[in-house]
Amino acid sequence: MSPAEADEPPPEPPEAATADPLPAVAPQLRELRRRASLTLEAAARTAGLSPAHLSRLETGQRQPSLPMLLALARVYGTTVSELLGETVADRDAVVRAADMEPTAAGGWTYWPAGAPGRGMQALRVHVPYGAQGDIVRVHPGEEWLHVLKGRLRLRLGDAAHTLAPGDSAHFDSLTPHRIAAADRSGADLLFVHTLLQSPATALCLGGPTQGEPT
């Protein structure tokens, strides 16, 4: 038994099925965790998830949201595209609109806007209303976002901001932060973040913060 498997709990009963399943994600998540020589408990703790939750993601019993994929990508030092098993033949400087295939994850939709294998990952993202707005995140690196459509709620530390189309934000990711769509139609944005593998650093502080709007 490898170190990455030693602390894995027994699988839990399947949860209710969700829409838009991503069957390719489960084996990819497990393989990347093993490649990083992380136990289930260590990877889950670093990503701000419970071991049981990560186990369900790895066995296909639960569908990951885009924020979860982003957190796990940082833990494993890779991109969301690799987590989803997507490959690009050549790392070109230009990404054509026709090649930006949309991917749904936990209600979020994203389009890769850059090539893999870089120090940054660029995405075009649709943030649905009321999804994952209660998750506070903190991790090494930087993030930049630009609102294309709709309004976005951005929480940075103790400060709350509402961003309208054309507004941008560029911040240190060690500042606790969370984003949520302010309108029921959701929000569209450009999103760029650095990819840093830092197994010894907590990347996410999961769960809602009390008394804050979602």
Side-chain angles (χ1 to χ4, degrees):
M1 182 178 294
S2 68
E5 297 174 315
D7 297 329
E8 295 184 15
E12 296 189 1
E15 296 187 357
T18 56
D20 301 320
L22 302 173
V25 176
Q28 193 75 355
L29 288 177
R30 181 181 290 264
E31 174 60 28
L32 288 170
R33 176 174 60 80
R34 288 175 171 172
R35 190 189 306 174
S37 300
L38 291 172
T39 65
L40 187 75
E41 291 183 350
R45 181 174 60 253
T46 307
L49 303 172
S50 69
H53 195 129
L54 182 54
S55 177
R56 288 194 290 270
L57 294 179
E58 289 190 352
T59 55
Q61 298 172 15
R62 188 72 180 269
Q63 178 182 347
S65 66
L66 180 56
M68 290 179 187
L69 291 174
L70 287 168
L72 290 169
R74 294 185 181 106
V75 173
Y76 303 145
T78 186
T79 65
V80 171
S81 296
E82 185 176 5
L83 286 180
L84 294 174
E86 300 171 358
T87 57
V88 178
D90 298 309
R91 192 174 72 178
D92 200 339
V94 175
V95 181
R96 301 294 181 184
D99 297 328
M100 296 183 188
E101 293 292 335
T103 298
W108 296 60
T109 306
Y110 86 94
W111 295 257
R118 305 286 189 184
M120 298 185 298
Q121 184 174 27
L123 303 169
R124 184 161 59 89
V125 182
H126 175 74
V127 182
Y129 180 76
Q132 298 296 322
D134 58 352
I135 294 181
V136 179
R137 303 190 177 278
V138 55
H139 52 84
E142 294 182 45
E143 295 188 21
W144 175 87
L145 58 86
H146 176 83
V147 180
L148 300 171
K149 182 180 179 182
R151 294 182 305 140
L152 191 75
R153 288 178 178 165
L154 172 65
R155 190 85 180 186
L156 289 175
D158 295 329
H161 308 272
T162 299
L163 278 63
D167 292 342
S168 300
H170 188 175
F171 54 92
D172 188 326
S173 303
L174 287 174
T175 302
H177 56 279
R178 70 179 189 178
I179 64 173
D183 303 318
R184 293 193 176 276
S185 57
D188 294 334
L189 54 100
L190 295 176
F191 176 77
V192 178
H193 70 105
T194 54
L195 292 171
L196 295 174
Q197 184 172 6
S198 183
T201 305
L203 302 187
C204 302
L205 301 177
T209 51
Q210 299 297 322
E212 294 183 359
T214 58

